[in-house]
Amino acid sequence: MTAVLNETDRFFLLQAIAQSSAAAKKGEYPYGAVLVKSEKTIAEAYNTTRSTQDILAHAETSALRMAMLSLQGDLANCTLYASCEPCAMCAGAIYWSGIARLVYSCPTELDAEISDMPFAVPCRSLLEFDRGHKIEVIGPCLQEQSAAILHDYWSRFAASGEDAFGLQS
């Protein structure tokens, strides 16, 4: 089921999707994130794992790092917008960051289908626990826009013959 967005959420989610497009154009994996507080962009990032050779350089973790520095660790009233549902690693970072809301576009299941991702755990299953810090999770939203970027990127990637995830068989 697709969630309904207000205009503010739509605006910032489209910015996250634009970050994913920018990543794809630079040869990075096509994932983007924008962190917002009081309707102002605090940080925006895209996945840089390929260029940095840093497996932790996902869009969400990079945006969280920048925002933590900018806001001196206080992310309590922030919303993270992500072009795709965050992975399990990013879900942990999101939880521990203390943000209030997560809004995402493409769901994990569709991302995994498009990219042939071998490890796909929906973050909503990790963030739904009502223990300690509760995060409002909204999504999927605008999934057609993010899915189009994923389809384009991963079809070109597959045609190149390169191993997408660097896994040893």
Side-chain angles (χ1 to χ4, degrees):
M1 184 171 101
T2 301
V4 177
L5 292 177
N6 64 39
E7 286 304 310
T8 299
D9 286 339
R10 179 181 175 78
F11 174 81
F12 288 114
L13 187 55
L14 287 171
Q15 284 190 347
I17 293 169
Q19 285 292 311
S20 73
S21 180
K25 288 175 183 164
K26 292 188 177 194
E28 296 287 357
Y29 295 131
Y31 302 98
V34 175
L35 196 129
V36 174
K37 184 171 187 171
S38 302
E39 298 187 15
K40 292 182 183 169
T41 299
I42 304 301
E44 54 187 10
Y46 54 77
N47 189 302
T48 58
T49 58
R50 297 193 73 202
S51 64
T52 62
Q53 297 293 297
D54 178 0
I55 59 170
L56 303 177
H58 289 201
E60 300 89 343
T61 55
S62 295
L64 287 169
R65 279 187 196 113
M66 287 185 268
M68 290 292 279
L69 292 172
S70 176
L71 298 175
Q72 299 174 331
D74 181 16
L75 304 186
N77 295 311
C78 293
T79 298
L80 181 67
Y81 296 89
S83 62
C84 287
E85 185 173 5
C87 71
M89 176 188 73
C90 291
I94 289 164
Y95 177 85
W96 292 112
S97 74
I99 67 166
R101 299 173 70 233
L102 167 67
V103 181
Y104 69 89
S105 182
C106 186
T108 296
E109 298 84 355
L110 181 56
D111 183 15
E113 179 183 317
I114 294 167
S115 67
D116 200 26
M117 184 186 318
F119 182 71
V121 178
C123 84
R124 60 192 175 274
S125 67
L126 300 171
L127 296 176
E128 70 185 1
F129 298 104
D130 193 10
R131 296 182 70 193
H133 174 60
K134 180 74 172 161
I135 299 169
E136 180 184 8
V137 179
I138 301 168
C141 310
L142 308 176
Q143 69 185 40
E144 296 79 17
Q145 288 93 323
S146 57
I149 295 165
L150 293 170
H151 274 294
D152 180 60
Y153 178 86
W154 290 111
S155 62
R156 286 185 288 114
F157 200 92
S160 76
E162 197 173 340
D163 182 6
F165 300 101
L167 300 174
Q168 304 295 322
S169 297

